Amino acid sequence: QQQQQAESSAASSAGESAPPQPPSSCSGCSPARLFTPLDSAGLDRLAAAWLAAVSLPQRRPIACLTDRLALPSELQPPRLIPLPLAYDAVFSANRSRACRHCDQRPAHPAVCLVCGEFLCFNSPCCQARHGEDTVGECHRHSVLCGAGHCPVLVVDSSFVWVFTHGLALRWGSLYVDEFGEEDEELRRGKPLYLSEQRYQALEWQWLLHNYYSSASRLEWLSHSL
C-alpha cells in the first residue's frame, strides 16, 4: 500500500511539472499559421462565420463584404508636404498670395507643412478667441490641423516654427546655401536649396512630437503668432 501511494504521488508530481499539451484539434495552430494572410477564399469563409455567429441574414454576396475588409499591401506613415528644391520657388509662389480668412496679403506669410494651408504669421488681422485667450491664426490652425502639433514655414524668413505642447519653437531652416549655412531673414540673398537631411529630421521629429533636440531657440507661445 505504501508503494502504491508513493507511485501515485510521483505521478501527480510529474503531471504538475509537465507542460500542458495542446488538444489534437490545435495540432496545426503554429505561430506562423496565425500570422499568415488570408486569401479571398479565406476572407469569404471568415465573413460567413461572422454572419453565422451573430445570426445576420446573408442578403448580399459575401464577396461584397470581404471587399470592404481589404487592406493595402503596405501601410505608409504620415508625411509632410513635398517642397521645391529651390527656395526661390517657395518665395515666388507664396509671397503675393492673399489669406483666405482676411482676404489680405499677410505681412509675414506662412505655409503649414502638414496640410499646405496658407496662413498669416504674427499678424493681428486673423486673431480669434480660443478659450479665454485671443490667439493668432497659426496657433489656432495648429490646434485644428494637428491637435496642437504643427510645423509652419514662414516664407519671408525661410525659418520653420513649430507649435507643440503650448510652445512656439523656432526650429531652423530647411533651406541652406551651397556651404550648408542658413540665411535667416534672407539678408544675404544667396540661393537656398532644400536640405533633404533637415527635411527628414523635421518629419521624424514631427511624427514623434519631439523637437527639442534640435531647437535653436525655445520660447513660450506668443498668442499673436
Side-chain angles (χ1 to χ4, degrees), residues 149-151 162 164 169 171 202 205-206 209-215:
H149 299 271
C150 191
V162 177
T164 178
L169 170 66
W171 188 87
L202 175 63
Q205 293 167 13
W206 167 65
H209 290 177
N210 182 6
Y211 309 92
Y212 305 109
S213 60
S214 63

Side-chain angles (χ1 to χ4, degrees), residues 106-197:
H108 305 288
V111 178
C112 173
L113 295 180
V114 178
C115 67
E117 179 78 13
F118 187 70
L119 305 168
C120 291
F121 178 82
N122 195 18
S123 177
C125 58
C126 289
Q127 289 183 350
R129 297 290 298 178
H130 181 73
E132 298 181 355
D133 299 316
T134 301
V135 300
E137 185 176 23
C138 288
H139 170 64
R140 185 177 73 253
H141 179 78
S142 71
V143 176
L144 298 176
C145 179
H149 299 271
C150 191
V152 171
L153 172 62
V154 181
V155 175
D156 59 358
S157 72
S158 79
F159 264 54
V160 171
W161 283 74
V162 177
F163 296 86
T164 178
H165 297 299
L167 297 174
L169 170 66
R170 194 181 72 162
W171 188 87
S173 180
L174 295 175
Y175 288 84
V176 294
D177 62 16
E178 59 181 334
F179 302 105
E181 297 179 353
E182 300 174 344
D183 186 4
E184 185 177 359
E185 307 300 335
L186 306 179
R187 294 192 182 101
R188 292 183 288 123
K190 291 188 176 182
L192 302 177
Y193 302 96
L194 179 66
S195 168
E196 190 65 30
Q197 183 178 4

Side-chain angles (χ1 to χ4, degrees), residues 66-79:
T66 54
D67 288 343
R68 297 186 178 185
L69 299 176
L71 294 175
S73 58
E74 184 177 356
L75 298 177
Q76 297 292 336
R79 300 294 304 273

Side-chain angles (χ1 to χ4, degrees), residues 88-100 103-111 118-119 155-156:
D88 287 345
V90 179
F91 189 87
S92 60
N94 295 283
R95 189 63 186 89
S96 300
R97 291 177 63 184
C99 174
R100 67 184 184 91
D103 199 26
Q104 299 178 10
R105 291 171 54 181
H108 305 288
V111 178
F118 187 70
L119 305 168
V155 175
D156 59 358

Side-chain angles (χ1 to χ4, degrees), residues 25-103:
S25 59
C26 294
S27 58
C29 296
S30 64
R33 287 176 59 85
L34 292 177
F35 293 97
T36 301
L38 294 175
D39 54 14
S40 59
L43 287 175
D44 289 342
R45 292 193 298 270
L46 183 60
W50 287 344
L51 291 174
V54 296
S55 302
L56 291 178
Q58 300 185 29
R59 297 178 180 177
R60 291 183 295 174
I62 298 301
C64 295
L65 297 175
T66 54
D67 288 343
R68 297 186 178 185
L69 299 176
L71 294 175
S73 58
E74 184 177 356
L75 298 177
Q76 297 292 336
R79 300 294 304 273
L80 297 177
I81 63 172
L83 294 173
L85 178 61
Y87 192 70
D88 287 345
V90 179
F91 189 87
S92 60
N94 295 283
R95 189 63 186 89
S96 300
R97 291 177 63 184
C99 174
R100 67 184 184 91
H101 293 107
C102 64
D103 199 26

